Amino acid sequence: MKTKKKKLLSTFFKIGVTVLLLYIIFTKIPFDEVWRTIKKSNTLYLSLAILCFILSQWISAKRLLVLFKAVHFYLSARSNYILYLIGMFYNFFIPGGIGGDAYKVYILNKKFKWSIKKLSAAVLLDRFIGLTAIGILLIILLACVPLVIKLNLIWAAPFVLILGVLGSYLFTKQMFPSFLSVYSKTLLLSVCIQLLQCICLGFIVKSISPVETDQYITYVIVFLISSVLSVFSFSGIGVREMIFYQASSLFIFNSTTAVTIGVLFSIITAFISLFGFIFHVKKPELKCINTNYITSLTRFVQ
């Protein structure tokens, strides 16, 4: 009962934060201005942004599949991607319902009787390694910021980077030892995911207004920070737009352009998440890989 109340309070808090932040933003910048900017955006660059986002989500689903296989849960690649899209739909469109990660754990436990503890560990580590990748990119990009270079702080970047990755590895070793063998692979996949999302953002920016290279870097840094803080609102909506708005004042960006970038990223996420609804309605059967074949192949290789 207490868990249900906490979840309900958390849901109301996130929705409240989203509504409040959107209200603040659109009282300062009329939504009409944002909508006009969206309508003027370049279709080609927006299409490329969507493509990069789809690729990032495909790799994200693959990362989770690698974690599942590490604990001998051999879900087929197609079933895994379908389940991932349904999870996206739950995360984006059902704030008061079961979360996308919890949905995956529930369905896989119900269908295959796989351990809830191991499934939960896989989805939690999936999130944690994603945050590690964001941290890595933030450190690298911050080292390129003119102010950091001017203050001669660039030397600190390699040390912070090494300490961060080492800390992440030791945390995984301590808390998720069953997945240690795939740590490097999932971290590399996570970096690829975040790079694709950063490229996606770059195409969104370019679709609205061409900017200088250093401004692209700043936009990407702001985007990565908003990705970390998005947990405080419903699907990151509101937080992302507010951070872009605040950044426009700090870095002398056009505030309408900055907010529109956040809105467009939310729209793209919502659009792709809708495919999860299609699969949810169709209820396709989830399938596993033939484990007998895997065992035979492993013995043959050995």
Side-chain angles (χ1 to χ4, degrees):
M1 194 68 177
K2 285 183 179 178
T3 307
K4 270 186 106 175
K5 282 185 178 180
K6 283 182 181 178
K7 188 177 178 181
L8 197 62
L9 284 171
S10 174
T11 300
F12 280 127
F13 173 76
K14 288 182 179 182
I15 293 173
V17 168
T18 296
V19 173
L20 177 63
L21 292 179
L22 288 177
Y23 173 77
I24 293 170
I25 291 165
F26 292 124
T27 52
K28 296 177 181 295
I29 300 172
F31 184 75
D32 288 348
E33 288 184 22
V34 174
W35 185 242
R36 277 197 295 271
T37 306
I38 291 173
K39 287 197 290 186
K40 290 178 184 176
S41 59
N42 185 295
T43 307
L44 173 62
Y45 288 127
L46 273 183
S47 300
L48 290 171
I50 292 169
L51 178 61
C52 287
F53 185 82
I54 291 170
L55 283 172
S56 76
Q57 296 309 297
W58 180 76
I59 297 173
S60 190
K62 183 176 175 61
R63 178 183 65 192
L64 185 58
L65 188 61
V66 169
L67 291 169
F68 283 155
K69 287 180 179 179
V71 284
H72 311 294
F73 296 156
Y74 297 106
L75 187 66
S76 73
R78 183 177 182 276
S79 295
N80 178 68
Y81 191 61
I82 288 170
L83 192 62
Y84 186 86
L85 286 173
I86 295 173
M88 278 186 69
F89 166 71
Y90 269 73
N91 281 334
F92 200 95
F93 289 103
I94 311 179
I98 185 172
D101 289 340
Y103 175 82
K104 293 169 200 168
V105 172
Y106 169 76
I107 289 296
L108 292 174
N109 171 258
K110 184 181 177 182
K111 173 74 176 176
F112 304 113
K113 307 302 178 188
W114 290 344
S115 165
I116 290 178
K117 186 178 179 181
K118 288 182 179 179
L119 287 168
S120 299
V123 297
L124 283 172
L125 185 58
D126 183 65
R127 294 281 182 174
F128 174 72
I129 292 178
L131 285 173
T132 301
I134 291 174
I136 289 169
L137 289 181
L138 271 174
I139 292 164
I140 293 169
L141 290 171
L142 284 169
C144 302
V145 172
L147 181 62
V148 174
I149 297 169
K150 188 178 178 181
L151 294 173
N152 199 27
L153 293 173
I154 195 169
W155 61 269
F159 293 100
V160 176
L161 194 60
I162 291 167
L163 284 173
V165 174
L166 182 61
S168 173
Y169 176 83
L170 292 174
F171 177 81
T172 303
K173 185 177 181 180
Q174 181 67 32
M175 302 300 294
F176 306 98
S178 302
F179 301 94
L180 202 61
S181 61
V182 295
Y183 176 82
S184 299
K185 184 175 183 178
T186 51
L187 183 59
L188 180 62
L189 288 171
S190 297
V191 172
C192 291
I193 292 162
Q194 295 306 323
L195 281 172
L196 279 167
Q197 294 218 356
C198 291
I199 295 169
C200 167
L201 186 87
F203 280 128
I204 290 173
V205 175
K206 199 167 178 63
S207 74
I208 298 170
S209 174
V211 297
E212 300 296 326
T213 304
D214 60 336
Q215 282 190 319
Y216 275 115
I217 293 171
T218 308
Y219 272 124
V220 170
I221 290 171
V222 172
F223 168 71
L224 290 172
I225 292 171
S226 74
S227 298
V228 176
L229 298 178
S230 64
V231 295
F232 295 107
S233 72
F234 167 44
S235 300
I237 302 170
V239 166
R240 188 180 297 113
E241 288 78 7
M242 177 57 79
I243 290 173
F244 272 106
Y245 175 76
Q246 294 297 334
S248 69
S249 303
L250 189 62
F251 298 106
I252 320 174
F253 293 156
N254 180 288
S255 56
T256 302
T257 300
V259 171
T260 304
I261 290 166
V263 170
L264 275 172
F265 189 85
S266 295
I267 290 172
I268 290 172
T269 306
F271 173 68
I272 303 304
S273 298
L274 283 172
F275 285 93
F277 173 71
I278 296 169
F279 286 118
H280 181 66
V281 171
K282 286 186 175 181
K283 299 190 186 308
E285 185 182 355
L286 300 178
K287 295 180 181 179
C288 284
I289 299 171
N290 189 333
T291 52
N292 292 328
Y293 170 76
I294 292 170
T295 304
S296 301
L297 185 62
T298 304
R299 285 174 182 168
F300 175 76
V301 171
Q302 289 173 344

